[in-house]
Amino acid sequence: MGLKILTEHINVPGIEKMEVYRKHGGYRSVEKALKTMTPAEVVEEVKTSGLRGRGGAGFPAGMKWSFLAKPEGVPRYLVCNADESEPGTFKDRWYMEKNPHGLIEGMITSSYALGANTSYIYIRGELMFILRILEKAIAEAYAAGLLGKNILGSGYDLDLHVAPGGGAYICGEETALLESLEGKRGNPRNKPPFPAVKGLFQSPTVVNNVETISSVPWIVNNSGAEYAKVGIGRSTGTKLISASGNINNPGVYEIELGVPVEEFIYSDEYCGGIWKGRQLKAVVPGGSSVPILPANLILKTAAGEDRLMSYESLSDGGFVTGSMLGSGAFIVFDEEQCIVRNTWNYARFYHHESCGQCSPCREGTGWMEKVLHRIEYGHGHQQDIDLLVSVAKQIEGNTICPLGDAAAWPVAAAIRHFRDEFEWHIKYPKEATATGAVYRGQLDTVTA
């Protein structure tokens, strides 16, 4: 069992309550930071830790904090991105439900470091039961003097609010989130200016993910140097992984970054192997927006080295033979799964969730969905495969926000690694559309 930074006390009965949370060391980082550290010292510890954004981009959190502009007389804001919308990702929802004070403590300590006196948790609109859990915990924090005026007699003030979104995937993009939080339509903004300069209400703002902010208390309590010792290379610390698909033990796991992918899939400590003893076919390692990898490339890099659960190892080989850690949504496909159908399902999602602001995304996601639909349902043409690749290339890199890339990458990767399965759907439509039909030819060159 590796070190548990976020989940050490997650299963303690009543941990969602202030009294129990404090008995297990809760809010020590607030006391330490406000009474013994300057905001700059807290920022420096986070920089030293090497903590990277856990929402998907993996940008160093401390560096992001250091970009925050500090003009005189202008408020600063910390906004927690709890709009967890990536298909396959459920770690943040799970964590907020189990341990709301863990996030609130992180919000207070991080807000102090950034000089923010008003902060927000922007939560996905469908998660109203989580919103009520957070509001109850926030009320307990106010009652304990950990929020509001003159926290712990330090002279530092902080008000914390929870704001529900409307349930739009696009609001997971930080500038669209800020637009929504201001009461506008959740469309991404052009950058620059970046939120660190002009964010919420045109004021300097840091937007971080739930898991990122919840990691800050441990760093403050134990030092950034200690956090940097956990993990591997530039992938420091631990990571929450949402594991789903055809595995025996789906759920949320906290791993030390650097665990071999094969161990994560097959060990009883984590996923427990493939469901019903079937063969591994493919894995989407970081949420629906990252490239899918066949079994041989998810277990080993193209150079034959063990693939690790880290930012660097999963991206080894670029998109030709690698993928991304992303949000940590680890989706496993066994030999009974149809890659074409799953790719079409992702394309449906991205077409539906496109805000429509950029023509390549607005039109291209619709084209990809339609072409994949006709291939899946036996009406495809051989040229459709290259058409999909062409459309994906024209979307990628040509939109204001990354949703276009998120829609294009899964399609391009599925064709790159499973082209023969697409060709089978087109050449043998009757067989491909039969109930329970699954193409198995690709498995001849794939080993688990």
Side-chain angles (χ1 to χ4, degrees):
M1 296 290 286
L3 177 67
K4 304 303 180 189
I5 287 175
L6 294 172
T7 63
E8 181 183 4
H9 304 298
I10 203 80
N11 292 317
V12 171
I15 196 67
E16 74 281 0
K17 299 173 182 176
M18 170 68 76
E19 180 183 5
V20 178
Y21 182 73
R22 295 200 78 170
K23 281 182 180 178
H24 288 83
Y27 290 102
R28 282 193 299 116
S29 74
V30 175
E31 296 182 17
K32 181 177 179 180
L34 270 60
K35 292 181 178 180
T36 69
M37 302 174 73
T38 66
E41 287 173 336
V42 179
V43 173
E44 194 57 37
E45 289 293 344
V46 175
K47 288 176 72 174
T48 301
S49 74
L51 173 67
R52 295 167 68 165
R54 301 304 198 219
F59 191 81
M63 187 179 297
K64 187 174 187 178
W65 287 13
S66 67
F67 293 157
L68 187 69
K70 299 176 181 177
E72 295 244 353
V74 177
R76 283 166 254 157
Y77 297 100
L78 171 64
V79 178
C80 174
N81 185 347
D83 188 75
E84 188 175 44
S85 313
E86 181 90 349
T89 310
F90 47 89
K91 62 183 178 67
D92 291 341
R93 179 208 65 78
W94 175 84
Y95 184 78
M96 289 185 289
E97 178 183 4
K98 293 281 191 177
N99 190 22
H101 283 288
L103 173 57
I104 295 166
E105 179 177 1
M107 288 295 294
I108 299 168
T109 306
S110 302
S111 296
Y112 170 73
L114 297 168
N117 298 113
T118 304
S119 295
Y120 295 88
I121 300 171
Y122 181 95
I123 192 167
R124 188 160 177 78
E126 290 90 341
L127 300 179
M128 292 304 291
F129 76 105
I130 303 290
L131 179 143
R132 295 186 182 98
I133 291 172
L134 287 172
E135 286 187 331
K136 183 176 180 180
I138 288 172
E140 288 183 319
Y142 270 105
L146 292 161
L147 282 171
K149 299 291 184 182
N150 193 25
I151 297 172
L152 300 178
S154 65
Y156 174 64
D157 304 336
L158 177 65
D159 285 313
L160 179 60
H161 308 280
V162 186
Y169 173 76
I170 193 66
C171 289
E173 194 278 332
E174 62 179 8
T175 61
L177 183 157
L178 296 176
E179 287 286 290
S180 176
L181 191 52
E182 291 176 2
K184 305 171 189 172
R185 179 185 173 90
N187 280 1
R189 300 173 181 172
N190 278 308
K191 295 182 283 189
F194 291 91
V197 178
K198 289 198 174 185
L200 186 64
F201 309 127
Q202 296 299 298
S203 298
T205 304
V206 166
V207 181
N208 276 139
N209 159 270
V210 171
E211 185 183 348
T212 312
I213 292 171
S214 300
S215 299
V216 171
W218 195 95
I219 292 169
V220 170
N221 289 332
N222 298 277
S223 84
E226 285 300 310
Y227 189 89
K229 293 177 183 177
V230 184
I232 183 170
R234 293 191 297 113
S235 295
T236 63
T238 65
K239 178 83 184 75
L240 295 180
I241 303 294
S242 311
S244 65
N246 305 123
I247 51 177
N248 287 315
N249 305 324
V252 178
Y253 297 95
E254 183 175 13
I255 64 166
E256 290 188 21
L257 287 167
V259 171
V261 170
E262 187 169 11
E263 178 184 338
F264 183 71
I265 294 175
Y266 290 101
S267 75
D268 290 336
E269 183 180 348
Y270 300 117
C271 298
I274 309 302
W275 189 55
K276 292 187 176 180
R278 292 174 179 167
Q279 190 173 5
L280 175 65
K281 182 174 184 178
V283 171
V284 177
S288 64
S289 62
V290 310
I292 190 172
L293 288 178
N296 60 322
L297 288 177
I298 191 62
L299 299 179
K300 302 280 186 180
T301 67
E305 298 176 350
D306 286 346
R307 186 82 73 175
L308 307 179
M309 298 287 283
S310 72
Y311 292 97
E312 290 74 32
S313 183
L314 282 169
S315 63
D316 184 88
F319 282 179
V320 176
T321 60
S323 186
M324 297 170 66
L325 179 61
S327 63
F330 197 86
I331 308 169
V332 178
F333 298 130
D334 68 19
E335 60 195 290
E336 297 296 318
Q337 297 304 313
C338 173
I339 299 299
V340 176
R341 185 169 186 82
N342 278 288
T343 306
W344 166 61
N345 204 32
Y346 288 157
R348 288 171 58 209
F349 173 81
Y350 287 108
H351 179 209
H352 181 269
E353 294 296 334
S354 172
C355 74
Q357 188 175 192
C358 305
S359 298
C361 182
R362 181 183 65 244
E363 304 299 331
T365 53
W367 294 344
M368 289 195 300
E369 180 194 347
K370 290 174 184 175
V371 174
L372 284 163
H373 179 273
R374 73 186 183 210
I375 293 175
E376 167 63 15
Y377 284 93
H379 306 293
H381 310 286
Q382 196 61 41
Q383 60 266 34
D384 283 345
I385 299 175
D386 290 330
L387 175 61
L388 284 168
V389 174
S390 175
V391 172
K393 284 182 178 178
Q394 292 176 71
I395 297 173
E396 183 181 355
N398 291 313
T399 55
I400 290 174
C401 86
L403 188 143
D405 295 346
W409 291 341
V411 174
I415 293 172
R416 183 183 308 122
H417 298 300
F418 298 94
R419 189 183 184 101
D420 51 353
E421 187 162 340
F422 285 82
E423 291 177 347
W424 178 71
H425 274 72
I426 293 166
K427 290 178 182 177
Y428 305 101
K430 185 175 180 180
E431 291 86 346
T433 55
T435 302
V438 178
Y439 176 69
R440 302 182 191 280
Q442 176 76 2
L443 296 179
D444 294 339
T445 59
V446 171
T447 58

